[in-house]
Amino acid sequence: EGSGVKTIYVMVDDSDFGVYENPIGFLEEGKHLIGYRVEDNVGNMSKVKFYEFILDKTAPEVMLASDKKPVKIGDVVYVGKNYNFGIFAHDALSGVKSVQYSIDDGELNEYNEPFAPVETPGLHKVEYFAVDNVGNTSMKKAYIYYLDINPPTIEFAINPEPFEKDGVNYISDKTPVVIKAKDAETGVARIVYSIDDGEEKDYQYPIRLTAGTHKITAKAIDLLGNESETISIELTVDASVPEAELVPTK
């Protein structure tokens, strides 16, 4: 306000004071210190002031994960309808300001909480990135997955086929009852069955029934937890040996 400013002096980090002429730039990430003072035109010198800061040049790290383990077959990642996606970001210096994502090239969304896959079965893509508090932006990543919501198919296979009489299906006690299941996407994980509404068991081998009438109930589950319809069949095991008698005629 008096004689006017003659010279600005600055020191950077561990340097000596020098005359300030151009804006100061920094290349090395981390903590830095600028000291500065001003001399007026009659030799008055201000006190030294300091400005300390951290230079953050590194973009956040970001990743996407699901709350259940996906199934990977070849290069394809399969997820189910009961999955949820979470996006996690970390920035060691200035901190994460925002995380954004888009689904199937749609509009950008601000990530705030886990979200479910798109409901339509088939291939889908989630693109996502993070921005820190000084504007460093991570590279956009893509997570490509196949949504499998189709249940397995299941059927009973009995050979020889049951003999039907008066609405009753008869088989021998030597006839195996086979349960077959298949799944077009991820494959069958389990087949479970019960006999006469008893304890549910894992199917491993063909079932052989004892004499009498029995009901078998079964369902299949694929690798993502999709369950087939529950099927049942009622069979009567005829273990009685037939008898024959020769009757002479007159």
Side-chain angles (χ1 to χ4, degrees), residues 220-238:
I221 305 162
D222 71 12
L223 290 167
L224 291 169
N226 297 311
E227 294 188 1
S228 72
E229 62 174 339
T230 299
I231 61 172
S232 62
I233 189 170
E234 191 170 280
L235 299 167
T236 298
V237 178
D238 179 1

Side-chain angles (χ1 to χ4, degrees), residues 29 56-61 90-99 130-138:
E29 188 173 68
D56 179 3
K57 298 172 62 177
T58 303
E61 296 177 358
H90 171 73
D91 189 86
L93 295 176
S94 62
V96 176
K97 180 180 180 181
S98 68
V99 176
V131 183
D132 70 13
N133 283 295
V134 293
N136 296 311
T137 303
S138 69

Side-chain angles (χ1 to χ4, degrees), residues 148-221:
D148 175 13
I149 60 174
N150 298 315
T153 58
I154 187 171
E155 63 178 346
F156 292 109
I158 304 172
N159 187 23
E161 292 185 359
F163 176 78
E164 184 180 348
K165 178 184 175 184
D166 299 329
V168 178
N169 291 315
Y170 289 95
I171 63 171
S172 163
D173 59 355
K174 299 178 181 61
T175 301
V177 179
V178 176
I179 306 174
K180 293 183 177 181
K182 60 183 178 180
D183 186 83
E185 283 89 7
T186 57
V188 176
R190 297 173 64 206
I191 298 174
V192 294
Y193 74 100
S194 63
I195 300 175
D196 299 333
D197 297 322
E199 179 185 359
E200 201 170 71
K201 301 176 182 178
D202 282 319
Y203 173 79
Q204 295 177 323
Y205 308 105
I207 303 165
R208 295 187 185 275
L209 299 172
T210 58
T213 299
H214 302 281
K215 179 183 176 184
I216 302 175
T217 302
K219 66 179 178 180
I221 305 162

Side-chain angles (χ1 to χ4, degrees), residues 71-92:
V71 174
K72 187 173 183 180
I73 301 176
D75 294 328
V76 182
V77 175
Y78 292 86
V79 302
K81 59 185 176 183
N82 56 345
Y83 280 54
N84 284 290
F85 294 138
I87 304 175
F88 306 93
H90 171 73
D91 189 86

Side-chain angles (χ1 to χ4, degrees), residues 115-127:
F115 57 95
V118 173
E119 295 181 356
T120 308
L123 276 174
H124 298 283
K125 178 176 66 174
V126 180
E127 291 184 298

